[in-house]
Structure formats: C-alpha cells, structure tokens
Amino acid sequence: MKNNIIKEFIEKTGIGFKQLIKAMIFSSLINFLVLLFGLKIANIPHYILISLVISIIDLLPVIGAGIVLIPWSVVAFFNGDTKLVLILLLLFIITFILKQILEPIILGKSVGLKPMYSLIITIICMVVFTPAIGALVGAIVSVIVSVLMDLKKELYEE
C-alpha cells in the first residue's frame, strides 16, 4: 500500500510537471504576441525574430524577458530614445504581469487545482522569496499540493 502511494505520487508529480511546462510554453506564446505587437509599434527592425528570442528566454525560470528588455531600455535611455524606453519598460511590465498571472491559472486548471489556489500559492511564494524565484517555487508547490490533494481524495474513497 505504502509503495503504491509513493509510486502514484511520483507518477502524478511527473504529470503535473509536464502540465507546468505546457503552462510555461502557453504563457510564453502569449508574451510573444505581446512583444510582437509592442516591437512592431516601436518600429524595431526584425521585430518577429527579436520577439521570438525574448519569448524563448522568457521560458527560463527566474531570468525572464527582463534580462533583455531592461538593459535594452537602459541603452535606449542613454541614446535619448524616450519613446523606445517607455515601450520597452511597458512591454516588460506587461509580460511580467501576464507571466505571473497566466502561468498559475493555467497550471491550476491543468493539474486539477482551483486556479485561485494556484495563484494564491504563487503570490505567497513570491512574497516569501523574491518574485522571480517565488513564481517558480509557487508553480512547483502548486503541483505538489494538487497531487497530495488528489492522493488524499483517492485514499478516502477506498
């Protein structure tokens, strides 16, 4: 019985992490569209390629789109391009907020945890840790909580 529970926990956690990756990819896709639109408005050459690269970087936990957008906005500031600075900072804020809100909601729905619980867990982890690390830890904790709740339900049904 005990071995079955451990085996089931590991299997369900693996499924949960697959769902986490799917949620991250979907969130990154949404951010790609936001970046595409924003960089097009800013008349950035090769905006499709740049949006794609930033979106791929955004998939990396903790790093995110800010690793590109913030230094780029600093360079634009020193070059005197105020419009570009504002657009880049606005894009960073939008992509950051979307990522922090979308991922927990999508993850919650996909692993069977109420999206609000997943969002609350992520917010608490972002407060306890830093926002970037908290978002990653919150997603992992959400998966584990979902699996534990599911296992608890199955145990009481038997």
Side-chain angles (χ1 to χ4, degrees), residues 6-140:
I6 293 171
K7 182 180 177 184
E8 199 168 334
F9 175 80
I10 291 169
E11 286 175 11
K12 289 184 180 212
T13 304
I15 292 168
F17 285 128
K18 287 178 188 173
Q19 296 300 332
L20 170 61
I21 291 168
K22 286 181 184 178
M24 291 172 69
I25 290 170
F26 182 76
S27 165
S28 191
L29 179 64
I30 298 294
N31 279 343
F32 168 74
L33 296 174
V34 169
L35 290 164
L36 191 71
F37 181 72
L39 294 178
K40 172 71 174 155
I41 288 175
N43 292 320
I44 301 297
H46 311 291
Y47 65 96
I48 297 172
L49 180 62
I50 294 170
S51 298
L52 181 63
V53 170
I54 294 172
S55 296
I56 291 169
I57 292 171
D58 193 44
L59 280 170
L60 300 172
V62 181
I63 295 175
I67 199 78
V68 175
L69 295 174
I70 292 173
W72 189 2
S73 64
V74 170
V75 171
F77 175 78
F78 285 116
N79 286 337
D81 195 346
T82 310
K83 178 185 171 193
L84 183 59
V85 171
L86 293 175
I87 290 172
L88 293 174
L89 290 177
L90 185 63
L91 284 174
F92 168 69
I93 291 167
I94 291 169
T95 57
F96 181 79
I97 291 172
L98 280 174
K99 186 175 180 87
Q100 303 311 316
I101 292 174
L102 278 179
E103 277 184 21
I105 291 172
I106 296 166
L107 176 65
K109 285 183 179 180
S110 63
V111 297
L113 189 62
K114 291 185 178 179
M116 186 56 81
Y117 293 162
S118 184
L119 187 59
I120 289 170
I121 289 170
T122 301
I123 290 170
I124 290 170
C125 288
M126 288 172 68
V127 170
V128 171
F129 304 103
T130 64
I133 293 171
L136 178 63
V137 171
I140 293 169

